[in-house]
Amino acid sequence: MDFSFSDEQRMVQDSMRAFARAELLPKYTHWDRNDEFPREQWLKMGALGVLGLRVPVDQGGQEADCVTAGLVIEEIARGDFNCCYGILNSCFAGDILGKFASPAVKDTWLPAMASGETVLCVCLTEPHCGSDAAAIRTQAVRRGDSYVLNGEKSGVTLLMVGDAAIVFAKTDPAAGAKGVSAFLVPLDRPGITRHPYSDMGARGIVRGSLFLEDVEVPAGNLIGPENGGFSRVMQTFDYTRALIGLMCLGAAQATVEETVDYLKQRQAFGRPLSTNQGVSFPLAEWSAKMEMARWFCYRTLWLRDQGLPHTRESAMCKMQVPVIAADAVHDCLILHGHYGYTKDFPVEQRLRDVIGQEIADGTPHIMKIIVARDLFGRDFV
Ligand SMILES: Cc1cc2nc3c(=O)[nH]c(=O)nc-3n(C[C@H](O)[C@H](O)[C@H](O)COP(=O)(O)OP(=O)(O)OC[C@H]3O[C@@H](n4cnc5c(N)ncnc54)[C@H](O)[C@@H]3O)c2cc1C
């Protein structure tokens, strides 16, 4: 058993930590306060290769292993949690397009996404279904050399600034999960409209609803075989769930460290607040829980890198880790007293931001179903 990162991975970790501290953290709250997409940060991340981690080298990416992707997302989250959505989407798109898209689609979209100039979204959820993703109603019908899409997608991260989307649609509505296909849909096509959300957190990543009315895309924009979309997406979600865990831990770790500094300098009853065990023990407990969670996420990514099964472990990461991170940040907010409740510190934003990842990509309930199926067998759950 070897728990060490390679020299190269440690270099990546160090450089990302320095970048996040110098370039991202100072403007973390700016994007939230101004409801602004952090375009300049996207371009900086693109220049450093952060948005091409899972993109093939031929398309301008890094083809990094999943553990390295984990190290990057954890460090970026210390600076700006919401920039991590760029990593999640680009890892997802890099894997799915890199493996299953036509050469033309790959060459058009992946280099531009990796450089940060182009933003890709992932559209699975619909107004009537999120957890039950196989129940989507958006349809794609083959017409000559094209597919024509109709339907509505909801909750889509980065939609309002997106240039293209990976859209999941039914190509065989009677076949349930086995009738779903994935398409690359440029968002400037006729028949597309978008509607923005006003979320409690993650405000810079401008989620929204996508309406598709007779939207035509070339047949070559089908990703993988017809009716093969659902299995692809589920396989990719497997490891991005561990990335989400590390993203939440990065934000929580930054908050714990800021809180330690605050409690050392803030005085009450003539001494630093940290000298009260009621104040220091919660941070000792969160540090222990977060350390255990961190290694579990890295182990899950390592399993993926080894080509070993990791569906159960990924679901465990997604079920537990965002909750641990959100609860840790919540405790830190209380330990800041009333200042924690103001916008003078980033802690209130971190809480709003991290909570979003308790829901996105599947809630803890749905993760419990996946783990329970593994324990009891599908027929007993
Ligand atoms: C920050 C954020 C970013 C997102 N980004 C994207 C994106 O980019 N693309 C995209 O397609 N979607 C995105 N989503 C949507 C997200 O994937 C869905 O919200 C999520 O899958 C849950 O679906 P739902 O909201 O329809 O909830 P529902 O499925 O309606 O569930 C509501 C509640 O019931 C529970 N529940 C449902 N079924 C069961 C069951 N069988 N047993 C027990 N409990 C159950 C759920 O856990 C949940 O608590 C995002 C969401 C958030 C918050």
Side-chain angles (χ1 to χ4, degrees):
M1 207 186 286
D2 179 3
F3 282 102
S4 55
F5 297 119
S6 68
D7 288 347
E8 198 182 328
Q9 286 169 333
R10 270 191 278 111
M11 264 168 51
V12 168
Q13 187 181 38
D14 289 347
S15 63
M16 287 297 127
R17 186 167 300 183
F19 166 70
R21 181 181 288 265
E23 304 283 343
L24 302 182
L25 185 60
K27 290 194 82 172
Y28 170 54
T29 57
H30 168 87
W31 314 108
D32 177 85
R33 309 287 188 254
N34 295 285
D35 284 341
E36 209 182 313
F37 170 62
R39 175 81 61 190
E40 72 181 53
Q41 314 297 50
W42 239 249
L43 293 172
K44 285 180 195 166
M45 290 194 296
L48 288 175
V50 170
L51 300 175
L53 288 167
R54 299 287 295 167
V55 171
V57 170
D58 285 352
Q59 274 85 36
Q62 315 294 315
E63 251 177 73
D65 55 71
C66 294
V67 168
T68 300
L71 286 167
V72 173
I73 205 165
E74 186 185 358
E75 295 306 327
I76 295 292
R78 282 170 169 255
D80 188 328
F81 185 79
N82 295 320
C83 285
C84 295
Y85 283 92
I87 303 180
L88 287 177
N89 274 23
S90 64
C91 283
F92 187 89
D95 268 304
I96 287 215
L97 298 183
K99 282 192 198 118
F100 305 114
S102 67
V105 166
K106 280 197 268 201
D107 290 343
T108 306
W109 294 103
L110 288 179
M113 178 191 74
S115 71
E117 281 150 33
T118 289
V119 175
L120 262 61
C121 318
V122 180
C123 303
L124 180 62
T125 307
E126 298 192 358
H128 68 284
C129 74
S131 305
D132 182 9
I136 58 171
R137 291 181 190 148
T138 296
Q139 283 198 30
V141 176
R142 180 86 190 231
R143 202 179 287 162
D145 286 341
S146 306
Y147 282 92
V148 178
L149 284 88
N150 278 286
E152 181 182 344
K153 295 288 173 184
S154 55
V156 181
T157 295
L158 295 167
L159 182 70
M160 301 314 293
V161 292
D163 299 287
I166 297 172
V167 175
F168 292 86
K170 287 265 169 79
T171 31
D172 182 356
K178 294 195 171 124
V180 177
S181 302
F183 298 89
L184 191 291
V185 180
L187 291 173
D188 58 359
R189 292 266 144 172
I192 284 186
T193 45
R194 311 180 225 188
H195 177 76
Y197 291 4
S198 180
D199 283 337
M200 68 178 262
R203 296 185 65 82
I205 53 123
V206 284
R207 288 195 316 142
S209 284
L210 172 70
F211 302 88
L212 302 130
E213 205 181 327
D214 290 329
V215 176
E216 199 172 334
V217 295
N221 284 26
L222 175 70
I223 303 165
E226 198 176 84
N227 299 324
F230 203 66
S231 52
R232 306 269 179 284
V233 70
M234 287 308 152
Q235 279 163 21
T236 308
F237 272 152
D238 268 358
Y239 89 92
T240 54
R241 286 174 176 155
L243 292 183
I244 287 172
L246 288 164
M247 159 182 176
C248 293
L249 287 172
Q253 184 65 38
T255 312
V256 165
E257 288 170 12
E258 286 160 7
T259 308
V260 166
D261 288 345
Y262 180 78
L263 296 172
K264 285 202 298 202
Q265 60 82 23
R266 174 89 176 164
Q267 303 265 327
F269 304 101
R271 55 190 196 181
L273 274 176
S274 61
T275 57
N276 300 288
Q277 289 183 341
V279 165
S280 62
F281 278 12
L283 292 179
E285 286 167 17
W286 286 122
S287 295
K289 284 181 194 165
M290 285 162 52
E291 190 68 5
M292 288 187 270
R294 177 175 293 115
W295 284 108
F296 190 71
C297 292
Y298 281 117
R299 176 167 181 271
T300 302
L301 294 173
W302 176 85
L303 288 172
R304 169 86 175 201
D305 284 333
Q306 306 307 309
L308 295 168
H310 56 285
T311 301
R312 183 183 64 144
E313 286 78 4
S314 300
M316 288 173 169
C317 289
K318 184 67 183 57
M319 174 169 80
Q320 293 283 327
V321 185
V323 180
I324 290 173
D327 289 352
V329 174
H330 188 185
D331 258 9
C332 288
L333 189 151
I334 305 295
L335 290 170
H336 276 80
H338 87 94
Y339 288 116
Y341 200 62
T342 68
K343 297 200 168 185
D344 294 349
F345 289 86
V347 60
E348 62 81 32
Q349 186 189 333
R350 291 234 183 76
L351 184 58
R352 292 187 282 112
D353 287 351
V354 170
I355 285 173
Q357 282 301 342
E358 292 190 56
I359 302 164
D361 254 5
T363 62
H365 307 126
I366 300 310
M367 298 305 120
K368 285 176 201 174
I369 294 174
I370 296 171
V371 176
R373 266 191 207 139
D374 187 71
L375 285 174
F376 292 90
R378 194 171 268 270
D379 293 342
F380 289 89
V381 173

